């Protein structure tokens, strides 16, 4: 019973990843050098692929075999989700704090503000590098929410006019915009595989 469940999981996962990437079964078969009938049988949950076949398919779908076959139990899934969201919240607050510390402090000199500009590019480009398989929108939602929230909080707390002038003068808003744009478009700056 467990093998059947695993077979269904793998077949469904391959099918959904293939569709998500806009690849037909024929294209997957051609690119992976796996017989079309084998691909069809895997996706219909009629067979479990051998390791070598699975590796060829995963290479085309740009996912590791361990990520593909990883099954999450319900208990582990809930704990993992809570942990991931907690990490993302803390991470976003830390990113906001770094940019705010470098730019908003009244004693911040030109070097500190320049450091804020540099940091607002290099931190997000590192995030883009390590999350290259993520879509641009997903990356922006996960790692850019803090920047967007910070931008909105400044506008609300200070009033639009004062926040805009203070934000531009202190380099906060340019830094936030650089960070958001880098998170969304940064994959275009990285070398392609």
């Amino acid at each position: 019973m467990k093998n059947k469940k695993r077979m269904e999981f793998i077949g469904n996962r391959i099918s959904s990843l293939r569709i998500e990437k806009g690849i037909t079964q024929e294209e997957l078969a051609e690119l992976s050098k796996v017989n079309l009938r084998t691909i069809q049988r895997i996706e219909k949950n009629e067979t479990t692929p051998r390791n070598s076949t699975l590796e060829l398919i995963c290479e085309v779908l740009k996912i590791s075999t361990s990520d593909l076959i990883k099954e999450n139990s319900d208990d582990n899934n809930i704990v993992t989700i809570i942990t991931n969201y907690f990490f993302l919240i803390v991470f976003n607050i830390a990113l906001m704090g770094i940019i705010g510390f470098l730019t908003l402090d009244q004693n911040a000199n030109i070097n500190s503000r320049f450091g804020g500009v540099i940091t607002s590019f290099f931190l997000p480009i590192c995030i883009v590098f390590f999350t290259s398989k993520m879509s641009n929108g997903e990356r922006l939602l996960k790692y850019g929410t803090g920047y967007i929230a910070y931008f909105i909080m400044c506008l609300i707390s200070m009033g639009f006019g004062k926040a805009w002038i203070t934000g531009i003068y202190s380099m906060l808003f340019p830094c936030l915009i650089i960070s958001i744009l880098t998170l969304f478009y940064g994959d275009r700056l990285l070398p392609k595989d």
Side-chain angles (χ1 to χ4, degrees):
M1 186 67 173
K2 190 171 185 177
N3 286 338
K4 180 158 177 58
K5 189 175 180 181
R6 183 175 186 263
M7 178 175 65
E8 288 175 2
F9 178 80
I10 292 172
N12 292 340
R13 186 97 160 101
I14 288 173
S15 177
S16 65
L17 284 170
R18 177 185 59 76
I19 292 168
E20 182 181 303
K21 296 200 181 286
I23 301 173
T24 64
Q25 286 181 334
E26 292 80 11
E27 291 170 331
L28 180 59
E30 184 180 325
L31 293 169
S32 65
K33 311 282 191 272
V34 173
N35 186 317
L36 174 60
R37 181 68 186 125
T38 303
I39 301 276
Q40 292 169 338
R41 291 183 70 217
I42 291 169
E43 288 190 7
K44 287 182 181 177
N45 303 318
E46 294 173 1
T47 186
T48 302
R50 290 188 219 130
N51 285 341
S52 58
T53 303
L54 193 59
E55 287 175 9
L56 292 170
I57 292 170
C58 286
E59 189 175 312
V60 172
L61 296 176
K62 294 186 172 124
I63 187 170
S64 69
T65 54
S66 61
D67 286 343
L68 178 78
I69 61 176
K70 191 186 319 178
E71 293 185 62
N72 295 326
S73 67
D74 291 339
D75 295 337
N76 191 17
N77 198 11
I78 291 170
V79 170
T80 303
I81 288 170
I82 291 170
T83 304
N84 287 342
Y85 280 110
F86 179 74
F87 167 77
L88 286 174
I89 290 168
V90 170
F91 190 75
N92 275 287
I93 290 170
L95 289 175
M96 290 171 23
I98 291 169
I99 298 299
F101 176 77
L102 290 171
T103 58
L104 271 184
D105 185 15
Q106 290 180 351
N107 297 325
N109 59 24
I110 191 72
N111 294 335
S112 178
R113 291 190 176 125
F114 183 71
V117 172
I118 300 264
T119 304
S120 66
F121 174 76
F122 282 108
L123 280 177
I125 204 70
C126 287
I127 293 169
V128 170
F129 179 77
F130 288 109
T131 60
S132 60
K133 292 185 180 179
M134 227 181 247
S135 71
N136 296 352
E138 182 183 5
R139 185 181 311 111
L140 184 62
L141 282 175
K142 285 187 174 182
Y143 300 101
T145 305
Y147 292 130
I148 295 167
Y150 201 12
F151 188 79
I152 292 169
M153 285 187 312
C154 286
L155 289 176
I156 291 172
S157 67
M158 291 187 214
F160 184 79
K162 183 178 179 184
W164 194 256
I165 292 169
T166 304
I168 295 291
Y169 172 73
S170 69
M171 293 300 291
L172 174 65
F173 287 171
C175 288
L176 294 176
I177 291 169
I178 290 168
S179 295
I180 290 168
L181 290 175
T182 304
L183 282 172
F184 194 77
Y185 294 110
D187 59 337
R188 297 178 184 184
L189 301 173
L190 298 177
K192 302 292 180 207
D193 292 338

